[in-house]
Amino acid sequence: MTEEEDRKPRSDEARYDPEITSEFAVPAGIAVPEAGVEPETTSEFVVPEGLATPQPVTGEPEGSAFSMPSTYSALDAPPAFTPASGFPAVNLVKDAPWQDRMRTMLRMPVTERPAPEPVQKAEEGGPAVPRVLDLTLRIGELLLAGGEGAEDVEAAMFAVCRSYGLDRCEPNVTFTLLAISYQPSLVEDPVTASRTVRRRGTDYTRLAAVFRLVDDLTDPETHVSLEEAYRRLAEIRRNRHPYPGWALTGASGLLAGAASVLVGGDYLVFVAAAIGAMLGDRLAWLCAGRGLPEFYQFMIAAMPPAAIGVAFALAHIDVAASAVVTGGLFALLPGRALVAGVQDGLTGFYITASARLLEVMYFFVGIVIGVLTVLYFGVKLGGRLNPDTALTTSDRPLLQITASMVLSLTFAVLLQQERSTVLAVTLNGGVAWCVYGAMHYAGGISPVASTAAAAGLVGLFGQLLSRYRFASALPYTTAAIGPLLPGSATYFGLLSMAQNEVDKGLVSLAKAASLAMAIAIGVNLGSEISRLGLRVGSAGKRRAAKRTRGF
């Protein structure tokens, strides 16, 4: 076959000849589909024949989920309810503490909050929203890790955002999670960021520094850029504790010794309680270095004071062995976490309050196991520990007032407070014990009511001092409640349970729990009473907690 003949199209007979076709050729007798009528291979998602192809919608562009519907018309909207007197304008006093102003705005609905003032710290083109939210979360993390209440943490986060022009923001605080959401307008998508608090430590010096930073950020006359705020925050995070480790160990020993004198111990008991508390503190530090959880740290730290008290009972030494154990318990009872947990519950942060109170319960159970183990073996060895013997505390008022002030001072050192606040909290603790002694021992009032009144006075003075210095109230209240902690009731309850007197033990432990709740509620009540007289400038009457029945 020539080349010219090869170029010619083959006839139908040639195409159906099996000798010259492949296995995939169309068999004879089957019509060959014409080209261009319908493709042999089609997609499963092709539109079937007879159905119209949907046309793209071009009348309404794709927008945000917060965009107005196309069928909405402001002219056809139902009339909104407006009071006859109108909505009152909200004007906040500029010279009031920032935490009170921010708390007042947080307790308002978003639509009733006053418009933000001219922002001086915003860069050209508007504030850098992601960086502002990151700075806000880092500041909130330091406050929450330092033991600050959830409402004050939210107020600080709101103040930082508002100082940089982000007024439509909503902070949210739980026990270990911080979140904040910012929505530029009703038709724009919100920006949300979160941060997890993984490590918590007590350092009230760092807490005070963070409060000063927030105070400078909220001051309209002070220009603090984002870079400057980040630099100061980094310095706060890197700062060293004001007291070294040996000072903290010595403070724990003095605290236990002062507590033992407070409940009727003499000089020998003072020394024994101090040695036991320092041994427990060193053992707890050793366990922390090994990575053991705090539950076991509290359990091991509670054993040395109890062991020394049992040793005195086994040696038949004529000393108040119960005062030795009680003094050691004073140095371990988690009063700070208890007050913070109850405060969060009273202000409406129930998740955070539940988590903090659960933490307090775990610490308390650890202390109970440590002391109860030692007491059990002491009773089995023949130690004479009488749970019915009450500790005498009313016959040495001057010595006990001095011991209460020493206890508050050493508690302030353990909390890493600034040296400028130690004197104020020491005097506050002395006044609290004077009120408690006058009401309970001289007036014959029940210990729960006396404790609540003394704690309320502590909270009142603490809030007034913090507002005077534009600082946190924790450094002025936490250490001052040290003399009121229920150490003796806890010890006698554990001793009764070690001697198989479960009913008496439960009654004594219930009394200790009642005293602890009285302390926490009293501190919070005193704080709220002090805020009643503050002129913040809210519209009409002062707002209650943010979660109310509508009043």
Side-chain angles (χ1 to χ4, degrees):
M1 183 182 291
T2 62
E3 182 179 356
E4 184 177 353
E5 293 175 351
D6 186 56
R7 293 175 182 171
K8 294 180 180 181
R10 300 180 181 180
S11 61
D12 294 341
E13 292 80 0
R15 280 191 296 174
Y16 296 131
D17 190 353
E19 297 181 357
I20 59 175
T21 57
S22 69
E23 298 178 358
F24 300 97
V26 179
I30 298 180
V32 180
E34 298 181 1
V37 176
E38 183 178 359
E40 297 183 6
T41 58
T42 58
S43 170
E44 298 178 0
F45 303 97
V46 71
V47 179
E49 185 178 356
L51 294 180
T53 305
Q55 300 296 327
V57 180
T58 58
E60 182 178 354
E62 182 179 359
S64 168
F66 297 91
S67 301
M68 288 294 183
S70 59
T71 57
Y72 176 80
S73 176
L75 300 177
D76 300 333
F81 173 75
T82 303
S85 59
F87 291 104
V90 180
N91 297 317
L92 300 178
V93 179
K94 295 183 179 180
D95 57 350
W98 64 264
Q99 51 264 49
D100 293 315
R101 290 187 285 114
M102 297 303 113
R103 186 183 293 108
T104 301
M105 282 193 288
L106 279 175
R107 291 176 177 179
M108 295 179 184
V110 179
T111 56
E112 297 182 14
R113 293 175 183 172
E117 300 175 356
V119 181
Q120 301 178 3
K121 308 175 184 65
E123 290 81 2
E124 295 182 2
V129 175
R131 297 198 67 195
V132 172
L133 296 184
D134 179 71
L135 175 68
T136 302
L137 290 174
R138 292 178 183 273
I139 289 177
E141 178 189 9
L142 286 180
L143 292 175
L144 188 63
E148 190 62 73
E151 188 177 26
D152 289 331
V153 176
E154 278 196 359
M157 295 172 65
F158 184 75
V160 174
C161 285
R162 191 176 175 85
S163 64
Y164 286 102
L166 308 184
D167 59 314
R168 301 182 64 88
C169 62
E170 289 296 332
N172 187 21
V173 176
T174 56
F175 184 56
T176 57
L177 181 65
L178 298 169
I180 188 166
S181 178
Y182 168 68
Q183 187 176 359
S185 64
L186 292 177
V187 296
E188 295 184 60
D189 293 331
V191 180
T192 304
S194 62
R195 193 174 182 87
T196 302
V197 180
R198 301 190 182 279
R199 297 189 62 184
R200 289 173 290 119
T202 304
D203 190 344
Y204 283 1
T205 300
R206 181 178 298 174
L207 191 69
V210 176
F211 263 73
R212 285 193 294 268
L213 174 59
V214 178
D215 186 39
D216 292 340
L217 289 175
T218 55
D219 189 0
E221 299 179 358
T222 304
H223 178 75
V224 182
S225 62
L226 274 174
E227 298 297 333
E228 177 67 17
Y230 268 106
R231 185 191 63 80
R232 291 180 58 178
L233 187 63
E235 291 180 354
I236 293 173
R237 294 178 67 93
R238 289 195 303 264
N239 75 328
R240 286 191 169 187
H241 299 308
Y243 307 102
W246 62 266
L248 299 180
T249 302
S252 63
L254 288 176
L255 190 152
S260 65
V261 174
L262 195 67
V263 294
D266 53 11
Y267 297 104
L268 181 59
V269 172
F270 176 90
V271 174
I275 293 175
M278 287 189 289
L279 287 176
D281 181 78
R282 286 293 91 191
L283 289 176
W285 276 84
L286 182 62
C287 294
R290 297 292 182 178
L292 287 179
E294 287 184 301
F295 176 84
Y296 301 104
Q297 296 177 28
F298 274 84
M299 183 179 69
I300 294 175
M303 289 183 176
I308 293 178
V310 171
F312 281 161
L314 292 175
H316 303 287
I317 300 177
D318 189 15
V319 296
S322 300
V324 178
V325 185
T326 303
L329 290 178
F330 266 88
L332 296 175
L333 292 178
R336 173 186 60 86
L338 174 67
V339 172
V342 174
Q343 180 180 358
D344 288 341
L346 294 176
T347 52
F349 294 84
Y350 301 115
I351 297 178
T352 307
S354 301
R356 282 181 166 171
L357 292 178
L358 185 62
E359 181 188 41
V360 171
M361 186 192 73
Y362 270 102
F363 291 163
F364 188 76
V365 170
I367 297 171
V368 166
I369 293 176
V371 176
L372 200 58
T373 301
V374 176
L375 292 180
Y376 178 79
F377 285 105
V379 171
K380 290 298 182 180
L381 292 176
R384 295 181 179 179
L385 297 170
N386 187 7
D388 296 329
T389 303
L391 297 175
T392 58
T393 57
S394 60
D395 54 347
R396 303 178 299 176
L398 295 180
L399 182 60
Q400 284 148 9
I401 291 175
T402 304
S404 66
M405 296 177 67
V406 173
L407 193 153
S408 298
L409 187 147
T410 53
F411 203 175
V413 173
L414 288 176
L415 294 174
Q416 301 282 0
Q417 291 189 197
E418 291 181 310
R419 292 178 175 85
S420 60
T421 64
V422 171
L423 178 60
V425 74
T426 300
L427 295 177
N428 201 6
V431 171
W433 181 257
C434 290
V435 173
Y436 173 79
M439 294 181 63
H440 178 53
Y441 298 115
I445 303 176
S446 67
V448 176
S450 303
T451 301
L457 196 61
V458 167
L460 176 63
F461 286 166
Q463 285 291 337
L464 294 178
L465 288 172
S466 67
R467 294 309 182 267
Y468 175 73
R469 297 191 176 185
F470 287 76
S472 173
L474 289 181
Y476 301 99
T477 57
T478 306
I481 65 173
L484 305 176
L485 292 176
S488 59
T490 303
Y491 164 71
F492 286 122
L494 298 179
L495 182 59
S496 299
M497 295 181 69
Q499 295 178 343
N500 292 326
E501 298 178 358
V502 181
D503 294 339
K504 290 184 178 180
L506 292 178
V507 169
S508 186
L509 290 179
K511 177 183 177 182
S514 301
L515 292 174
M517 293 297 294
I519 292 172
I521 295 174
V523 170
N524 182 265
L525 182 60
S527 302
E528 293 296 331
I529 290 175
S530 68
R531 294 189 185 122
L532 290 176
L534 294 175
R535 183 172 171 265
V536 181
S538 58
K541 61 182 180 180
R542 177 180 176 271
R543 294 277 181 178
K546 67 176 185 177
R547 298 174 181 87
T548 63
R549 294 178 294 166
F551 298 107

